[in-house]
């Protein structure tokens, strides 16, 4: 997934800084990459549609852990763990069914969606049809998953981080990673991470009409994502002008500054976010494009986002996590392996004594 996201960003960058011939070559390379990646995980001869080993893993390993009996006491869980199972049960029946709902979506629907995605995004050789591809992913992946998650808010935040804090899946000890896991988790600011999760998920789960009901903002956002895909497509088209409101060519300088900020070895979260805001402002607030952008992106759901981010102190929480725990976590992981048992035993004792 990260390879695809990174390649989309590179695609936008290439269209802004390369000539048309080079951009066409990049589009073809992107096509090959997508075909190889998606094709490598699919197999239409299996029940799930995924390659044999993963299909077997889904059917023989994961189902029992994720589709647990809500009424029965958990005494053994290979992957989800009893701590996670109980955490979701504590949030009520709807949340308790959420892990199984996600599993069933993954097993029964995702492979077919990826096949359609592959066919539509590569409708013409050498041409990326991102609008169609994102529409498929938005309608068939993002919306169903958000529907599952939003029916479990706000309980999903507490349940998820109870899982992380107290994870006890059998696979952890069987793999010999129990002590390592507890050391790493002990280094993390899980409270800040929980607030980040809430801030990022909550805007999607707001009522689209301002009144509690069945119409959530994720439906609105899905349409926005599709429009974004269309703008990406237009960015690659040579006949679309550099000042067109329906493409990203007009934000070349802002995008390049943002890209350099992201690539900086001295990551500064607040500066990155400031650069992103400048990019968004140029996209949305250009005097000639305001009306066009407002039709696609400005509504109650979009207006809620800054309020929710401020409520959960998103910027400060991200800053704390990155500054205080990024390198600490890497250090613990690296030296936990190199030093054998010493740091693991010491860390395990410290975590145990503080709990």
């Amino acid at each position: 997934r990260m390879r695809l996201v990174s390649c989309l960003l590179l695609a936008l960058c290439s269209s802004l800084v390369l000539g048309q011939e080079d951009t066409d070559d990049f589009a073809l390379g992107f096509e090959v990459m997508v075909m190889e990646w998606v094709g490598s995980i699919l197999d239409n001869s299996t029940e799930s549609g995924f390659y044999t080993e993963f299909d077997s893993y889904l059917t023989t390993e994961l189902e029992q852990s994720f589709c647990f009996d809500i009424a029965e006491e958990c005494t053994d869980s290979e992957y989800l763990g009893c701590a996670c199972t109980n955490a979701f049960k504590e949030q009520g029946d709807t949340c308790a069914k959420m892990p199984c709902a996600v599993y069933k979506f993954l097993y029964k629907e995702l492979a077919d969606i990826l096949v359609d995605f592959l066919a539509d995004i590569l409708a013409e050789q050498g041409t990326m049809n991102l609008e169609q591809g994102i529409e498929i992913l938005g309608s068939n992946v993002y919306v169903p998953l958000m529907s599952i998650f939003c029916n479990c808010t706000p309980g999903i935040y507490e349940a998820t981080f109870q899982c992380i804090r107290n994870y006890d899946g059998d696979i952890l000890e069987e793999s010999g990673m129990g002590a390592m896991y507890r050391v790493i988790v002990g280094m993390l600011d899980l409270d800040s991470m929980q607030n980040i999760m809430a801030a990022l998920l909550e805007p999607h789960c707001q009522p689209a009409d301002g009144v509690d009901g069945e119409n959530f903002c994720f439906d609105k956002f899905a349409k926005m994502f599709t429009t974004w895909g269309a703008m990406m497509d237009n960015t690659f088209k040579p006949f679309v002008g550099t000042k067109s409101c329906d493409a990203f060519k007009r934000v070349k300088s802002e995008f390049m500054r943002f890209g350099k900020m992201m690539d900086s070895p001295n990551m500064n979260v607040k500066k990155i976010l400031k650069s992103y805001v400048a990019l968004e402002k140029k996209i949305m607030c250009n005097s000639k494009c305001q009306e066009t952008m407002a039709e696609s992106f400005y509504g109650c759901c979009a207006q809620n986002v800054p309020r929710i981010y401020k409520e959960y102190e998103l910027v400060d929480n991200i800053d704390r996590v990155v500054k205080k725990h990024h390198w600490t976590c890497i250090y613990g992981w690296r030296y936990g392996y190199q030093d054998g048992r010493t740091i693991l035993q010491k860390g395990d004792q410290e975590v145990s004594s503080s709990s």
Side-chain angles (χ1 to χ4, degrees), residues 1-12 26 29-41 117 128 130:
R1 183 176 61 184
M2 287 305 297
R3 287 175 63 194
L4 283 172
V5 172
S6 298
C7 208
L8 283 173
L9 291 173
L10 285 171
L12 176 56
F26 189 94
F30 177 81
E31 175 180 329
V32 172
M33 188 278 293
V34 172
M35 290 179 66
E36 289 180 349
W37 181 79
V38 177
S40 70
I41 65 174
F117 168 77
M128 293 186 289
L130 287 173

Side-chain angles (χ1 to χ4, degrees), residues 14-30:
S14 73
S15 68
L16 296 174
V17 301
L18 300 178
Q20 186 59 41
E21 184 177 348
D22 291 330
T23 301
D24 289 342
D25 290 342
F26 189 94
L28 181 60
F30 177 81

Side-chain angles (χ1 to χ4, degrees), residues 187-189 192 318-329:
M187 296 175 180
L188 301 177
D189 183 350
S192 292
I318 292 177
D319 199 40
R320 279 195 290 270
V321 169
V322 172
K323 280 185 176 179
K324 296 182 180 179
H325 300 284
H326 180 68
W327 292 113
T328 306
C329 186

Side-chain angles (χ1 to χ4, degrees), residues 271-287:
K271 287 185 178 180
I272 289 173
L273 291 174
K274 184 177 180 180
S275 177
Y276 175 75
V277 169
L279 175 61
E280 281 282 304
K281 186 176 180 180
K282 182 66 177 290
I283 293 172
M284 299 294 175
C285 301
N286 180 283
S287 59

Side-chain angles (χ1 to χ4, degrees), residues 69-101:
D69 190 325
I70 297 174
E72 290 187 4
E73 180 183 358
C74 180
T75 57
D76 180 69
S77 180
E78 182 77 2
Y79 293 96
L80 188 61
C82 285
C84 287
T85 299
N86 293 331
F88 279 101
K89 284 183 178 181
E90 289 172 6
Q91 303 301 326
D93 288 355
T94 301
C95 282
K97 295 175 182 177
M98 195 199 79
C100 189

Side-chain angles (χ1 to χ4, degrees), residues 37-288:
W37 181 79
V38 177
S40 70
I41 65 174
L42 298 176
D43 184 345
N44 60 13
S45 67
T46 64
E47 188 172 347
S48 69
F50 290 107
Y51 63 94
T52 304
E53 292 81 0
F54 188 52
D55 178 81
S56 176
Y57 180 70
L58 286 171
T59 53
T60 62
E61 304 285 345
L62 290 186
E63 184 174 13
Q64 185 177 2
S65 281
F66 284 80
C67 294
F68 51 82
D69 190 325
I70 297 174
E72 290 187 4
E73 180 183 358
C74 180
T75 57
D76 180 69
S77 180
E78 182 77 2
Y79 293 96
L80 188 61
C82 285
C84 287
T85 299
N86 293 331
F88 279 101
K89 284 183 178 181
E90 289 172 6
Q91 303 301 326
D93 288 355
T94 301
C95 282
K97 295 175 182 177
M98 195 199 79
C100 189
V102 173
Y103 165 81
K104 288 181 177 179
F105 173 81
L106 176 68
Y107 184 68
K108 295 182 178 180
E109 301 181 41
L110 186 56
D112 288 339
I113 294 169
L114 290 176
V115 170
D116 291 340
F117 168 77
L118 193 63
D120 276 38
I121 196 174
L122 307 175
E124 299 179 20
Q125 188 174 20
T127 302
M128 293 186 289
N129 192 339
L130 287 173
E131 180 181 7
Q132 290 295 320
I134 291 175
E135 184 175 16
I136 288 173
L137 295 181
S139 300
N140 298 292
V141 179
Y142 165 74
V143 168
L145 287 178
M146 282 297 112
S147 180
I148 293 171
F149 296 150
C150 291
N151 283 328
C152 186
T153 56
I156 186 175
Y157 314 136
E158 182 63 30
T160 299
F161 280 86
Q162 279 191 44
C163 285
I164 295 171
R165 286 185 179 91
N166 307 311
Y167 181 68
D168 60 353
D170 296 342
I171 190 66
L172 198 61
E173 300 302 334
E174 291 172 1
S175 64
M177 295 293 293
M180 174 69 74
Y181 179 83
R182 288 185 284 274
V183 169
I184 297 298
V185 170
M187 296 175 180
L188 301 177
D189 183 350
L190 296 181
D191 290 336
S192 292
M193 289 181 166
Q194 183 170 330
N195 283 327
I196 292 170
M197 177 186 179
L200 295 179
L201 185 58
E202 198 68 25
H204 304 262
C205 300
Q206 295 293 299
D209 52 9
V211 180
D212 289 341
E214 296 183 356
N215 298 317
F216 293 100
C217 281
F218 55 71
D219 289 312
K220 301 288 186 182
F221 287 134
K223 294 177 181 178
M224 294 182 195
F225 298 156
T226 301
T227 302
W228 178 87
M231 292 177 69
M232 281 287 292
D233 286 336
N234 289 336
T235 303
F236 281 90
K237 295 174 181 176
F239 56 83
V240 176
T242 57
K243 296 183 180 180
S244 171
C245 296
D246 296 320
F248 292 112
K249 294 180 181 181
R250 58 189 172 86
V251 295
K252 176 179 178 179
S253 59
E254 287 78 12
F255 181 82
M256 295 307 297
R257 278 196 292 270
F258 177 67
K260 288 179 181 178
M261 195 72 68
M262 289 291 291
D263 194 43
S264 172
N266 300 315
M267 182 180 288
N268 185 306
V269 174
K270 291 187 177 180
K271 287 185 178 180
I272 289 173
L273 291 174
K274 184 177 180 180
S275 177
Y276 175 75
V277 169
L279 175 61
E280 281 282 304
K281 186 176 180 180
K282 182 66 177 290
I283 293 172
M284 299 294 175
C285 301
N286 180 283
S287 59
K288 295 181 180 180

